[in-house]
Every structure is written in structure tokens, then in C-alpha cells.
Amino acid sequence: MHVAQVGSGASSSRWSLFSVENVSARALGAIPPPMLVLLGVISLQVGAAFAKQLFTTAGASGVVALRLTFAAVILLAVWRPSLRMDRKTLAVVAGYGAVLAGMNVCIYQAFERIPLGAAVTIEFLGPLAVAVIGSRRKLDIVWAVLAGTGVVLLARAEGGLDWVGVAFALMAGALWAGYILVGAKLGSRTSGGSGLALGMAFGALVAAPFGIAEAGTALLDPAVLIAGLVVALMSSVVPYSLELEALRRMPPRVFGVLMSLEPAVAALAGLLVLGEMLGGWQWVAIGCVVAASVGSVGSAKGGDGKPDDAGPKDTGAN
């Protein structure tokens, strides 16, 4: 964190910020890593359920614009990234932001049309595909078939799903796969959270025109702004912070297994917060995708016997 040092006031501010940071680090350090991941997943999915309640006021794209804008402001304030970068790094940051914005616009459009749990389950095919395609193990064919079976069951279960919503969820999944690949490049070309902050800011710029076109002046309503800030905290700032801390203290493979619970948590959030009822076969379908993801990540081993980091462990999709 870069803090200006101008006179005694700035020095006091610096120590205050560091004190808050140290207190936060100690508090997070007292929580077991698996619990950090689960808390992050719950925050993310409850935040998504809360965001869906704003669609009637600000529209799906409007909520995305608010979420990314507030998240960018917070991350920029925390990390204070330098804007000095070479062209290749700038291209990676811009690509990351564009994929992030597209992924969120698509999944929120899906949320508007189909239940939260169904949308996240379909979207989860993206990172699962990255894990399966990047693997040389024949067993992953079984996991791919199981995941595909789950999505077919989900789409064809009693009551069915809106196919436009399904298409948006599939596009979000494809963009999530791209997000993982671009995110790896971002991590190699930037340090700390500076790349995330700049990418989030670029994503906010990309999403803003869509949000303004859909919601217009509703985005300036104080109640909508406060709600957008809450969504940004619950769906971006809190889960990202918890997951980063967890990754420092646990193997990526274990992290990936825990993240595989996202579709089930999303379904529960949709049920408890939004009253979205799912049929028995739809729960079976979600279970198939969760089992496929856990199986793919949990059994992943590299050629040297070390955990394979290709599993669906990257977040930020919803």
C-alpha cells in the first residue's frame, strides 16, 4: 500500500492505515483457511442474491456497473497502483478488465431470467472446462460427462429454464474460462493487488455504458448507490480478500475443492434470500456438477506428484 508522507498529518494517517491493516491481518489469521473460503463463497452468492433484488430498479447491467465501479474505487484506494506500465502489461490489464466486465454482465443477465443456483451451475462449466482440457488424465472424461449430464438435467427438468438465460450463463462460463487464463498473465506481470485494481477500473469503464443505457438516472438514486456499494463489498471486496488470505495458507487443490461448492451455495442463497424453489431433479443436476468439479480438482495431480493448479479455483464471476 502506497501512502503519501507529507507532514505529521500524513504520518498519522499512514500509521492509522497500517494499524487497521495489521488488525485485519490478525483477525483473518485467526480464522481457519477452509472457513475463509466458505465465508467468501457465502458472501459472494448472498451478494448476488441481493443484487438480483435491485434489477427492477437499476436493471441487471446497471447493477453490474455499480458493483464494478465501487469495487474499483475501493481497490484503487487500498492498492494505489502505479499507472506506469509497458504496452504488453497494459494490454493484459485491459483484457482482464474487458473479460471481467463481460462475464459479470452475462451472468447478471442470466440471473434476471433463471434461478441463481441454475445460472451459477451452468456458468461453472467454464472453469471446469479449463481444468479438464488442461489435464491429460482419462478420468477427467468421466467428470466432463457427469457435468454435462448435470446441465442437461438442469435445463430439461420439470418447469424448464429460459433458454436466453441459459445462453447468457453459458457465455458467462466461457468468459470465466478466459478470465482464468488472462488472470494468470495478469498475476505474472503485476504485483500485489495492483493488477486487480487497475483491471477492475477498466472493467467498470467497459460496463458503465451498458449500465447507463439500461438504468439511466436511476443509478444516481441515493438508495440505489448505497445498495450498489453493499453489492460491491459482498460480491467483490470481501470474497476476494478472504480468498487471497486463504490461498496464502492452503494448497490450491484444496482451495479448488472448496470453491466447487459455489453452485450449491448459490442455490441455497436463491432459496433463502429470493425464495427461488428448485425441483428435485434440479438439485440432482447441481449435485452432478459439484461432484464433477470436486472430482476433477480433488484428484488432480501433476506429473511430479504435486497438485495440479488447473482446477476451477479462480473467482470473480458473479
Side-chain angles (χ1 to χ4, degrees), residues 1-4 13-14 17-18 20-22 24 69-82 191-198 233 236-238 240-241 244 248:
M1 183 183 295
H2 304 289
V3 181
S13 174
R14 179 188 64 183
L17 285 171
F18 282 146
V20 171
E21 184 176 334
N22 290 334
S24 299
T69 298
F70 279 121
V73 169
I74 294 170
L75 290 171
L76 288 172
V78 170
W79 291 103
R80 303 290 293 273
S82 171
S191 61
S194 61
L196 173 62
L198 291 172
L233 290 170
S236 295
V237 178
V238 170
Y240 291 164
S241 300
L244 282 172
R248 294 190 182 102

PDB file of all heavy atoms in Angstrom, residues 1-4 13-14 17-18 20-22 24 69-82 191-198 233 236-238 240-241 244 248:
ATOM      1  N   MET A   1       0.856  -1.200   0.000  1.00  0.00           N
ATOM      2  CA  MET A   1       0.000   0.000   0.000  1.00  0.00           C
ATOM      3  C   MET A   1       0.879   1.232   0.000  1.00  0.00           C
ATOM      4  O   MET A   1       1.772   1.362   0.819  1.00  0.00           O
ATOM      5  CB  MET A   1      -0.886  -0.004   1.249  1.00  0.00           C
ATOM      6  CG  MET A   1      -1.848   1.164   1.303  1.00  0.00           C
ATOM      7  SD  MET A   1      -2.803   1.130   2.844  1.00  0.00           S
ATOM      8  CE  MET A   1      -3.723  -0.372   2.615  1.00  0.00           C
ATOM      9  N   HIS A   2       0.622   2.159  -0.931  1.00  0.00           N
ATOM     10  CA  HIS A   2       1.420   3.382  -1.024  1.00  0.00           C
ATOM     11  C   HIS A   2       0.669   4.514  -0.332  1.00  0.00           C
ATOM     12  O   HIS A   2      -0.439   4.858  -0.700  1.00  0.00           O
ATOM     13  CB  HIS A   2       1.660   3.744  -2.483  1.00  0.00           C
ATOM     14  CG  HIS A   2       2.306   2.637  -3.248  1.00  0.00           C
ATOM     15  ND1 HIS A   2       3.620   2.271  -3.052  1.00  0.00           N
ATOM     16  CD2 HIS A   2       1.823   1.810  -4.196  1.00  0.00           C
ATOM     17  CE1 HIS A   2       3.924   1.270  -3.858  1.00  0.00           C
ATOM     18  NE2 HIS A   2       2.849   0.970  -4.559  1.00  0.00           N
ATOM     19  N   VAL A   3       1.271   5.073   0.691  1.00  0.00           N
ATOM     20  CA  VAL A   3       0.641   6.159   1.441  1.00  0.00           C
ATOM     21  C   VAL A   3       1.555   7.368   1.393  1.00  0.00           C
ATOM     22  O   VAL A   3       2.732   7.286   1.716  1.00  0.00           O
ATOM     23  CB  VAL A   3       0.385   5.745   2.908  1.00  0.00           C
ATOM     24  CG1 VAL A   3      -0.297   6.863   3.654  1.00  0.00           C
ATOM     25  CG2 VAL A   3      -0.450   4.485   2.963  1.00  0.00           C
ATOM     26  N   ALA A   4       1.013   8.510   1.028  1.00  0.00           N
ATOM     27  CA  ALA A   4       1.816   9.737   0.942  1.00  0.00           C
ATOM     28  C   ALA A   4       2.319  10.117   2.323  1.00  0.00           C
ATOM     29  O   ALA A   4       1.643   9.944   3.323  1.00  0.00           O
ATOM     30  CB  ALA A   4       0.967  10.866   0.361  1.00  0.00           C
ATOM     31  N   SER A  13      -1.850   9.428   9.395  1.00  0.00           N
ATOM     32  CA  SER A  13      -2.741   8.654   8.531  1.00  0.00           C
ATOM     33  C   SER A  13      -2.114   7.333   8.151  1.00  0.00           C
ATOM     34  O   SER A  13      -2.765   6.298   8.125  1.00  0.00           O
ATOM     35  CB  SER A  13      -3.065   9.452   7.268  1.00  0.00           C
ATOM     36  OG  SER A  13      -3.803   8.689   6.358  1.00  0.00           O
ATOM     37  N   ARG A  14      -0.798   7.370   7.860  1.00  0.00           N
ATOM     38  CA  ARG A  14      -0.097   6.155   7.471  1.00  0.00           C
ATOM     39  C   ARG A  14      -0.165   5.121   8.584  1.00  0.00           C
ATOM     40  O   ARG A  14      -0.510   3.973   8.368  1.00  0.00           O
ATOM     41  CB  ARG A  14       1.362   6.476   7.151  1.00  0.00           C
ATOM     42  CG  ARG A  14       2.168   5.241   6.752  1.00  0.00           C
ATOM     43  CD  ARG A  14       3.639   5.585   6.628  1.00  0.00           C
ATOM     44  NE  ARG A  14       4.178   6.001   7.928  1.00  0.00           N
ATOM     45  CZ  ARG A  14       5.420   6.406   8.109  1.00  0.00           C
ATOM     46  NH1 ARG A  14       6.260   6.501   7.088  1.00  0.00           N
ATOM     47  NH2 ARG A  14       5.840   6.751   9.310  1.00  0.00           N
ATOM     48  N   LEU A  17      -3.618   3.649   8.934  1.00  0.00           N
ATOM     49  CA  LEU A  17      -3.936   2.660   7.915  1.00  0.00           C
ATOM     50  C   LEU A  17      -3.216   1.348   8.192  1.00  0.00           C
ATOM     51  O   LEU A  17      -3.795   0.259   8.086  1.00  0.00           O
ATOM     52  CB  LEU A  17      -3.554   3.189   6.530  1.00  0.00           C
ATOM     53  CG  LEU A  17      -4.486   4.247   5.936  1.00  0.00           C
ATOM     54  CD1 LEU A  17      -3.867   4.838   4.673  1.00  0.00           C
ATOM     55  CD2 LEU A  17      -5.847   3.661   5.626  1.00  0.00           C
ATOM     56  N   PHE A  18      -1.924   1.450   8.559  1.00  0.00           N
ATOM     57  CA  PHE A  18      -1.177   0.236   8.831  1.00  0.00           C
ATOM     58  C   PHE A  18      -1.753  -0.491  10.040  1.00  0.00           C
ATOM     59  O   PHE A  18      -1.751  -1.717  10.107  1.00  0.00           O
ATOM     60  CB  PHE A  18       0.298   0.557   9.055  1.00  0.00           C
ATOM     61  CG  PHE A  18       1.054   0.806   7.785  1.00  0.00           C
ATOM     62  CD1 PHE A  18       2.084   1.733   7.745  1.00  0.00           C
ATOM     63  CD2 PHE A  18       0.731   0.110   6.636  1.00  0.00           C
ATOM     64  CE1 PHE A  18       2.796   1.955   6.576  1.00  0.00           C
ATOM     65  CE2 PHE A  18       1.433   0.327   5.462  1.00  0.00           C
ATOM     66  CZ  PHE A  18       2.475   1.255   5.421  1.00  0.00           C
ATOM     67  N   VAL A  20      -4.906  -0.490  11.012  1.00  0.00           N
ATOM     68  CA  VAL A  20      -6.116  -1.173  10.552  1.00  0.00           C
ATOM     69  C   VAL A  20      -5.745  -2.432   9.777  1.00  0.00           C
ATOM     70  O   VAL A  20      -6.341  -3.500   9.944  1.00  0.00           O
ATOM     71  CB  VAL A  20      -6.967  -0.224   9.679  1.00  0.00           C
ATOM     72  CG1 VAL A  20      -8.104  -1.000   9.013  1.00  0.00           C
ATOM     73  CG2 VAL A  20      -7.528   0.912  10.513  1.00  0.00           C
ATOM     74  N   GLU A  21      -4.722  -2.298   8.911  1.00  0.00           N
ATOM     75  CA  GLU A  21      -4.293  -3.442   8.104  1.00  0.00           C
ATOM     76  C   GLU A  21      -3.786  -4.569   8.995  1.00  0.00           C
ATOM     77  O   GLU A  21      -4.091  -5.745   8.778  1.00  0.00           O
ATOM     78  CB  GLU A  21      -3.198  -2.993   7.132  1.00  0.00           C
ATOM     79  CG  GLU A  21      -2.755  -4.093   6.166  1.00  0.00           C
ATOM     80  CD  GLU A  21      -1.743  -3.575   5.170  1.00  0.00           C
ATOM     81  OE1 GLU A  21      -1.751  -2.359   4.887  1.00  0.00           O
ATOM     82  OE2 GLU A  21      -0.949  -4.390   4.667  1.00  0.00           O
ATOM     83  N   ASN A  22      -2.997  -4.212  10.029  1.00  0.00           N
ATOM     84  CA  ASN A  22      -2.454  -5.233  10.928  1.00  0.00           C
ATOM     85  C   ASN A  22      -3.552  -5.913  11.726  1.00  0.00           C
ATOM     86  O   ASN A  22      -3.532  -7.130  11.916  1.00  0.00           O
ATOM     87  CB  ASN A  22      -1.431  -4.613  11.878  1.00  0.00           C
ATOM     88  CG  ASN A  22      -0.153  -4.216  11.159  1.00  0.00           C
ATOM     89  OD1 ASN A  22       0.185  -4.783  10.129  1.00  0.00           O
ATOM     90  ND2 ASN A  22       0.552  -3.230  11.707  1.00  0.00           N
ATOM     91  N   SER A  24      -6.659  -6.227  10.801  1.00  0.00           N
ATOM     92  CA  SER A  24      -7.394  -7.078   9.876  1.00  0.00           C
ATOM     93  C   SER A  24      -6.637  -8.373   9.603  1.00  0.00           C
ATOM     94  O   SER A  24      -7.225  -9.453   9.553  1.00  0.00           O
ATOM     95  CB  SER A  24      -7.635  -6.336   8.553  1.00  0.00           C
ATOM     96  OG  SER A  24      -8.405  -5.175   8.775  1.00  0.00           O
ATOM     97  N   THR A  69     -17.804  -0.386 -10.345  1.00  0.00           N
ATOM     98  CA  THR A  69     -17.315   0.960 -10.060  1.00  0.00           C
ATOM     99  C   THR A  69     -16.921   1.104  -8.597  1.00  0.00           C
ATOM    100  O   THR A  69     -15.825   1.583  -8.266  1.00  0.00           O
ATOM    101  CB  THR A  69     -18.383   2.012 -10.419  1.00  0.00           C
ATOM    102  OG1 THR A  69     -18.659   1.940 -11.824  1.00  0.00           O
ATOM    103  CG2 THR A  69     -17.892   3.408 -10.074  1.00  0.00           C
ATOM    104  N   PHE A  70     -17.806   0.697  -7.691  1.00  0.00           N
ATOM    105  CA  PHE A  70     -17.487   0.799  -6.265  1.00  0.00           C
ATOM    106  C   PHE A  70     -16.309  -0.101  -5.900  1.00  0.00           C
ATOM    107  O   PHE A  70     -15.441   0.291  -5.102  1.00  0.00           O
ATOM    108  CB  PHE A  70     -18.715   0.439  -5.424  1.00  0.00           C
ATOM    109  CG  PHE A  70     -19.703   1.567  -5.281  1.00  0.00           C
ATOM    110  CD1 PHE A  70     -21.009   1.435  -5.718  1.00  0.00           C
ATOM    111  CD2 PHE A  70     -19.325   2.767  -4.704  1.00  0.00           C
ATOM    112  CE1 PHE A  70     -21.925   2.479  -5.588  1.00  0.00           C
ATOM    113  CE2 PHE A  70     -20.225   3.818  -4.564  1.00  0.00           C
ATOM    114  CZ  PHE A  70     -21.529   3.669  -5.006  1.00  0.00           C
ATOM    115  N   ALA A  71     -16.279  -1.315  -6.455  1.00  0.00           N
ATOM    116  CA  ALA A  71     -15.164  -2.223  -6.166  1.00  0.00           C
ATOM    117  C   ALA A  71     -13.852  -1.619  -6.658  1.00  0.00           C
ATOM    118  O   ALA A  71     -12.824  -1.707  -5.973  1.00  0.00           O
ATOM    119  CB  ALA A  71     -15.405  -3.579  -6.832  1.00  0.00           C
ATOM    120  N   ALA A  72     -13.882  -0.993  -7.841  1.00  0.00           N
ATOM    121  CA  ALA A  72     -12.670  -0.371  -8.385  1.00  0.00           C
ATOM    122  C   ALA A  72     -12.200   0.774  -7.494  1.00  0.00           C
ATOM    123  O   ALA A  72     -10.998   0.902  -7.216  1.00  0.00           O
ATOM    124  CB  ALA A  72     -12.936   0.138  -9.799  1.00  0.00           C
ATOM    125  N   VAL A  73     -13.126   1.615  -7.046  1.00  0.00           N
ATOM    126  CA  VAL A  73     -12.763   2.749  -6.179  1.00  0.00           C
ATOM    127  C   VAL A  73     -12.102   2.252  -4.898  1.00  0.00           C
ATOM    128  O   VAL A  73     -11.068   2.780  -4.453  1.00  0.00           O
ATOM    129  CB  VAL A  73     -14.008   3.602  -5.860  1.00  0.00           C
ATOM    130  CG1 VAL A  73     -13.691   4.620  -4.759  1.00  0.00           C
ATOM    131  CG2 VAL A  73     -14.503   4.324  -7.106  1.00  0.00           C
ATOM    132  N   ILE A  74     -12.680   1.217  -4.292  1.00  0.00           N
ATOM    133  CA  ILE A  74     -12.129   0.680  -3.043  1.00  0.00           C
ATOM    134  C   ILE A  74     -10.743   0.079  -3.274  1.00  0.00           C
ATOM    135  O   ILE A  74      -9.792   0.341  -2.525  1.00  0.00           O
ATOM    136  CB  ILE A  74     -13.086  -0.375  -2.457  1.00  0.00           C
ATOM    137  CG1 ILE A  74     -14.399   0.293  -2.023  1.00  0.00           C
ATOM    138  CG2 ILE A  74     -12.433  -1.086  -1.262  1.00  0.00           C
ATOM    139  CD1 ILE A  74     -15.487  -0.688  -1.654  1.00  0.00           C
ATOM    140  N   LEU A  75     -10.609  -0.731  -4.334  1.00  0.00           N
ATOM    141  CA  LEU A  75      -9.332  -1.388  -4.600  1.00  0.00           C
ATOM    142  C   LEU A  75      -8.253  -0.378  -4.987  1.00  0.00           C
ATOM    143  O   LEU A  75      -7.088  -0.517  -4.593  1.00  0.00           O
ATOM    144  CB  LEU A  75      -9.508  -2.428  -5.706  1.00  0.00           C
ATOM    145  CG  LEU A  75     -10.321  -3.667  -5.305  1.00  0.00           C
ATOM    146  CD1 LEU A  75     -10.634  -4.524  -6.520  1.00  0.00           C
ATOM    147  CD2 LEU A  75      -9.570  -4.485  -4.266  1.00  0.00           C
ATOM    148  N   LEU A  76      -8.621   0.638  -5.756  1.00  0.00           N
ATOM    149  CA  LEU A  76      -7.648   1.672  -6.119  1.00  0.00           C
ATOM    150  C   LEU A  76      -7.183   2.439  -4.883  1.00  0.00           C
ATOM    151  O   LEU A  76      -6.004   2.780  -4.758  1.00  0.00           O
ATOM    152  CB  LEU A  76      -8.253   2.634  -7.138  1.00  0.00           C
ATOM    153  CG  LEU A  76      -8.454   2.086  -8.561  1.00  0.00           C
ATOM    154  CD1 LEU A  76      -9.250   3.081  -9.404  1.00  0.00           C
ATOM    155  CD2 LEU A  76      -7.114   1.781  -9.226  1.00  0.00           C
ATOM    156  N   ALA A  77      -8.109   2.699  -3.965  1.00  0.00           N
ATOM    157  CA  ALA A  77      -7.754   3.420  -2.742  1.00  0.00           C
ATOM    158  C   ALA A  77      -6.829   2.579  -1.858  1.00  0.00           C
ATOM    159  O   ALA A  77      -5.928   3.110  -1.204  1.00  0.00           O
ATOM    160  CB  ALA A  77      -9.018   3.795  -1.966  1.00  0.00           C
ATOM    161  N   VAL A  78      -7.044   1.279  -1.841  1.00  0.00           N
ATOM    162  CA  VAL A  78      -6.232   0.395  -0.997  1.00  0.00           C
ATOM    163  C   VAL A  78      -4.848   0.168  -1.595  1.00  0.00           C
ATOM    164  O   VAL A  78      -3.831   0.272  -0.906  1.00  0.00           O
ATOM    165  CB  VAL A  78      -6.951  -0.958  -0.798  1.00  0.00           C
ATOM    166  CG1 VAL A  78      -6.022  -1.972  -0.136  1.00  0.00           C
ATOM    167  CG2 VAL A  78      -8.206  -0.774   0.049  1.00  0.00           C
ATOM    168  N   TRP A  79      -4.790  -0.108  -2.908  1.00  0.00           N
ATOM    169  CA  TRP A  79      -3.526  -0.517  -3.525  1.00  0.00           C
ATOM    170  C   TRP A  79      -2.737   0.621  -4.143  1.00  0.00           C
ATOM    171  O   TRP A  79      -1.530   0.496  -4.329  1.00  0.00           O
ATOM    172  CB  TRP A  79      -3.787  -1.601  -4.576  1.00  0.00           C
ATOM    173  CG  TRP A  79      -4.216  -2.896  -3.964  1.00  0.00           C
ATOM    174  CD1 TRP A  79      -5.480  -3.407  -3.906  1.00  0.00           C
ATOM    175  CD2 TRP A  79      -3.387  -3.852  -3.285  1.00  0.00           C
ATOM    176  NE1 TRP A  79      -5.506  -4.599  -3.243  1.00  0.00           N
ATOM    177  CE2 TRP A  79      -4.227  -4.905  -2.858  1.00  0.00           C
ATOM    178  CE3 TRP A  79      -2.023  -3.911  -3.003  1.00  0.00           C
ATOM    179  CZ2 TRP A  79      -3.734  -6.002  -2.151  1.00  0.00           C
ATOM    180  CZ3 TRP A  79      -1.535  -5.010  -2.320  1.00  0.00           C
ATOM    181  CH2 TRP A  79      -2.381  -6.039  -1.902  1.00  0.00           C
ATOM    182  N   ARG A  80      -3.407   1.723  -4.487  1.00  0.00           N
ATOM    183  CA  ARG A  80      -2.740   2.881  -5.089  1.00  0.00           C
ATOM    184  C   ARG A  80      -1.750   2.452  -6.182  1.00  0.00           C
ATOM    185  O   ARG A  80      -0.548   2.722  -6.112  1.00  0.00           O
ATOM    186  CB  ARG A  80      -1.998   3.684  -4.014  1.00  0.00           C
ATOM    187  CG  ARG A  80      -2.867   4.161  -2.876  1.00  0.00           C
ATOM    188  CD  ARG A  80      -3.821   5.249  -3.289  1.00  0.00           C
ATOM    189  NE  ARG A  80      -3.083   6.447  -3.636  1.00  0.00           N
ATOM    190  CZ  ARG A  80      -2.709   7.383  -2.740  1.00  0.00           C
ATOM    191  NH1 ARG A  80      -2.991   7.214  -1.465  1.00  0.00           N
ATOM    192  NH2 ARG A  80      -2.048   8.444  -3.145  1.00  0.00           N
ATOM    193  N   PRO A  81      -2.219   1.735  -7.217  1.00  0.00           N
ATOM    194  CA  PRO A  81      -1.296   1.196  -8.227  1.00  0.00           C
ATOM    195  C   PRO A  81      -0.687   2.285  -9.097  1.00  0.00           C
ATOM    196  O   PRO A  81      -1.292   3.334  -9.340  1.00  0.00           O
ATOM    197  CB  PRO A  81      -2.210   0.287  -9.063  1.00  0.00           C
ATOM    198  CG  PRO A  81      -3.560   0.912  -8.939  1.00  0.00           C
ATOM    199  CD  PRO A  81      -3.628   1.435  -7.536  1.00  0.00           C
ATOM    200  N   SER A  82       0.506   2.015  -9.559  1.00  0.00           N
ATOM    201  CA  SER A  82       1.165   2.932 -10.490  1.00  0.00           C
ATOM    202  C   SER A  82       0.593   2.732 -11.890  1.00  0.00           C
ATOM    203  O   SER A  82       0.294   1.612 -12.298  1.00  0.00           O
ATOM    204  CB  SER A  82       2.672   2.666 -10.504  1.00  0.00           C
ATOM    205  OG  SER A  82       3.287   3.407 -11.540  1.00  0.00           O
ATOM    206  N   SER A 191       2.145  -6.946  -9.478  1.00  0.00           N
ATOM    207  CA  SER A 191       2.405  -7.408  -8.124  1.00  0.00           C
ATOM    208  C   SER A 191       1.284  -6.994  -7.186  1.00  0.00           C
ATOM    209  O   SER A 191       0.587  -6.005  -7.434  1.00  0.00           O
ATOM    210  CB  SER A 191       3.735  -6.844  -7.621  1.00  0.00           C
ATOM    211  OG  SER A 191       3.691  -5.425  -7.594  1.00  0.00           O
ATOM    212  N   GLY A 192       1.125  -7.783  -6.103  1.00  0.00           N
ATOM    213  CA  GLY A 192       0.098  -7.473  -5.119  1.00  0.00           C
ATOM    214  C   GLY A 192      -1.281  -7.414  -5.754  1.00  0.00           C
ATOM    215  O   GLY A 192      -1.634  -8.213  -6.617  1.00  0.00           O
ATOM    216  N   GLY A 193      -2.062  -6.435  -5.322  1.00  0.00           N
ATOM    217  CA  GLY A 193      -3.402  -6.275  -5.870  1.00  0.00           C
ATOM    218  C   GLY A 193      -3.493  -5.155  -6.885  1.00  0.00           C
ATOM    219  O   GLY A 193      -4.588  -4.750  -7.266  1.00  0.00           O
ATOM    220  N   SER A 194      -2.334  -4.635  -7.342  1.00  0.00           N
ATOM    221  CA  SER A 194      -2.359  -3.508  -8.277  1.00  0.00           C
ATOM    222  C   SER A 194      -3.009  -3.885  -9.602  1.00  0.00           C
ATOM    223  O   SER A 194      -3.781  -3.112 -10.174  1.00  0.00           O
ATOM    224  CB  SER A 194      -0.943  -2.990  -8.520  1.00  0.00           C
ATOM    225  OG  SER A 194      -0.124  -4.004  -9.086  1.00  0.00           O
ATOM    226  N   GLY A 195      -2.703  -5.090 -10.099  1.00  0.00           N
ATOM    227  CA  GLY A 195      -3.294  -5.520 -11.360  1.00  0.00           C
ATOM    228  C   GLY A 195      -4.793  -5.684 -11.248  1.00  0.00           C
ATOM    229  O   GLY A 195      -5.552  -5.287 -12.151  1.00  0.00           O
ATOM    230  N   LEU A 196      -5.246  -6.262 -10.132  1.00  0.00           N
ATOM    231  CA  LEU A 196      -6.677  -6.430  -9.899  1.00  0.00           C
ATOM    232  C   LEU A 196      -7.370  -5.073  -9.846  1.00  0.00           C
ATOM    233  O   LEU A 196      -8.436  -4.882 -10.433  1.00  0.00           O
ATOM    234  CB  LEU A 196      -6.910  -7.195  -8.596  1.00  0.00           C
ATOM    235  CG  LEU A 196      -8.367  -7.300  -8.132  1.00  0.00           C
ATOM    236  CD1 LEU A 196      -9.208  -8.060  -9.140  1.00  0.00           C
ATOM    237  CD2 LEU A 196      -8.435  -7.984  -6.758  1.00  0.00           C
ATOM    238  N   ALA A 197      -6.772  -4.119  -9.135  1.00  0.00           N
ATOM    239  CA  ALA A 197      -7.370  -2.789  -9.009  1.00  0.00           C
ATOM    240  C   ALA A 197      -7.506  -2.103 -10.363  1.00  0.00           C
ATOM    241  O   ALA A 197      -8.565  -1.560 -10.704  1.00  0.00           O
ATOM    242  CB  ALA A 197      -6.538  -1.931  -8.066  1.00  0.00           C
ATOM    243  N   LEU A 198      -6.433  -2.129 -11.164  1.00  0.00           N
ATOM    244  CA  LEU A 198      -6.478  -1.492 -12.481  1.00  0.00           C
ATOM    245  C   LEU A 198      -7.424  -2.225 -13.419  1.00  0.00           C
ATOM    246  O   LEU A 198      -8.168  -1.600 -14.196  1.00  0.00           O
ATOM    247  CB  LEU A 198      -5.069  -1.450 -13.081  1.00  0.00           C
ATOM    248  CG  LEU A 198      -4.078  -0.515 -12.389  1.00  0.00           C
ATOM    249  CD1 LEU A 198      -2.678  -0.710 -12.945  1.00  0.00           C
ATOM    250  CD2 LEU A 198      -4.510   0.943 -12.543  1.00  0.00           C
ATOM    251  N   LEU A 233     -19.169  -4.662  -1.974  1.00  0.00           N
ATOM    252  CA  LEU A 233     -18.453  -5.199  -0.817  1.00  0.00           C
ATOM    253  C   LEU A 233     -18.669  -6.705  -0.689  1.00  0.00           C
ATOM    254  O   LEU A 233     -17.718  -7.476  -0.506  1.00  0.00           O
ATOM    255  CB  LEU A 233     -18.908  -4.496   0.460  1.00  0.00           C
ATOM    256  CG  LEU A 233     -18.478  -3.036   0.606  1.00  0.00           C
ATOM    257  CD1 LEU A 233     -19.185  -2.391   1.791  1.00  0.00           C
ATOM    258  CD2 LEU A 233     -16.965  -2.930   0.770  1.00  0.00           C
ATOM    259  N   SER A 236     -17.431  -8.602  -4.264  1.00  0.00           N
ATOM    260  CA  SER A 236     -16.085  -8.395  -4.801  1.00  0.00           C
ATOM    261  C   SER A 236     -15.043  -8.238  -3.693  1.00  0.00           C
ATOM    262  O   SER A 236     -14.159  -9.083  -3.538  1.00  0.00           O
ATOM    263  CB  SER A 236     -16.058  -7.165  -5.721  1.00  0.00           C
ATOM    264  OG  SER A 236     -16.857  -7.376  -6.872  1.00  0.00           O
ATOM    265  N   VAL A 237     -15.148  -7.176  -2.922  1.00  0.00           N
ATOM    266  CA  VAL A 237     -14.086  -6.824  -1.979  1.00  0.00           C
ATOM    267  C   VAL A 237     -13.914  -7.893  -0.900  1.00  0.00           C
ATOM    268  O   VAL A 237     -12.796  -8.380  -0.656  1.00  0.00           O
ATOM    269  CB  VAL A 237     -14.365  -5.452  -1.338  1.00  0.00           C
ATOM    270  CG1 VAL A 237     -13.281  -5.124  -0.311  1.00  0.00           C
ATOM    271  CG2 VAL A 237     -14.430  -4.370  -2.409  1.00  0.00           C
ATOM    272  N   VAL A 238     -15.002  -8.281  -0.239  1.00  0.00           N
ATOM    273  CA  VAL A 238     -14.906  -9.259   0.857  1.00  0.00           C
ATOM    274  C   VAL A 238     -14.454 -10.631   0.365  1.00  0.00           C
ATOM    275  O   VAL A 238     -13.486 -11.194   0.892  1.00  0.00           O
ATOM    276  CB  VAL A 238     -16.244  -9.348   1.629  1.00  0.00           C
ATOM    277  CG1 VAL A 238     -16.221 -10.528   2.605  1.00  0.00           C
ATOM    278  CG2 VAL A 238     -16.512  -8.050   2.380  1.00  0.00           C
ATOM    279  N   TYR A 240     -12.879 -11.564  -2.421  1.00  0.00           N
ATOM    280  CA  TYR A 240     -11.521 -11.540  -2.951  1.00  0.00           C
ATOM    281  C   TYR A 240     -10.501 -11.493  -1.817  1.00  0.00           C
ATOM    282  O   TYR A 240      -9.486 -12.189  -1.839  1.00  0.00           O
ATOM    283  CB  TYR A 240     -11.311 -10.322  -3.858  1.00  0.00           C
ATOM    284  CG  TYR A 240     -12.080 -10.368  -5.160  1.00  0.00           C
ATOM    285  CD1 TYR A 240     -12.247  -9.225  -5.915  1.00  0.00           C
ATOM    286  CD2 TYR A 240     -12.634 -11.550  -5.628  1.00  0.00           C
ATOM    287  CE1 TYR A 240     -12.952  -9.250  -7.116  1.00  0.00           C
ATOM    288  CE2 TYR A 240     -13.335 -11.591  -6.811  1.00  0.00           C
ATOM    289  CZ  TYR A 240     -13.497 -10.441  -7.561  1.00  0.00           C
ATOM    290  OH  TYR A 240     -14.190 -10.470  -8.729  1.00  0.00           O
ATOM    291  N   SER A 241     -10.759 -10.681  -0.802  1.00  0.00           N
ATOM    292  CA  SER A 241      -9.829 -10.544   0.319  1.00  0.00           C
ATOM    293  C   SER A 241      -9.714 -11.854   1.101  1.00  0.00           C
ATOM    294  O   SER A 241      -8.613 -12.290   1.454  1.00  0.00           O
ATOM    295  CB  SER A 241     -10.295  -9.423   1.249  1.00  0.00           C
ATOM    296  OG  SER A 241     -10.357  -8.188   0.558  1.00  0.00           O
ATOM    297  N   LEU A 244      -7.834 -14.515  -1.077  1.00  0.00           N
ATOM    298  CA  LEU A 244      -6.400 -14.267  -1.174  1.00  0.00           C
ATOM    299  C   LEU A 244      -5.689 -14.709   0.104  1.00  0.00           C
ATOM    300  O   LEU A 244      -4.611 -15.314   0.058  1.00  0.00           O
ATOM    301  CB  LEU A 244      -6.134 -12.781  -1.435  1.00  0.00           C
ATOM    302  CG  LEU A 244      -6.356 -12.291  -2.866  1.00  0.00           C
ATOM    303  CD1 LEU A 244      -6.239 -10.784  -2.935  1.00  0.00           C
ATOM    304  CD2 LEU A 244      -5.370 -12.945  -3.815  1.00  0.00           C
ATOM    305  N   ARG A 248      -2.921 -18.091   0.705  1.00  0.00           N
ATOM    306  CA  ARG A 248      -1.587 -17.989   1.303  1.00  0.00           C
ATOM    307  C   ARG A 248      -1.328 -19.139   2.278  1.00  0.00           C
ATOM    308  O   ARG A 248      -0.183 -19.419   2.610  1.00  0.00           O
ATOM    309  CB  ARG A 248      -1.440 -16.653   2.048  1.00  0.00           C
ATOM    310  CG  ARG A 248      -1.461 -15.422   1.162  1.00  0.00           C
ATOM    311  CD  ARG A 248      -1.062 -14.187   1.961  1.00  0.00           C
ATOM    312  NE  ARG A 248      -1.122 -12.998   1.136  1.00  0.00           N
ATOM    313  CZ  ARG A 248      -2.112 -12.109   1.184  1.00  0.00           C
ATOM    314  NH1 ARG A 248      -3.112 -12.298   2.028  1.00  0.00           N
ATOM    315  NH2 ARG A 248      -2.113 -11.049   0.409  1.00  0.00           N
TER     316      ARG A 248
END
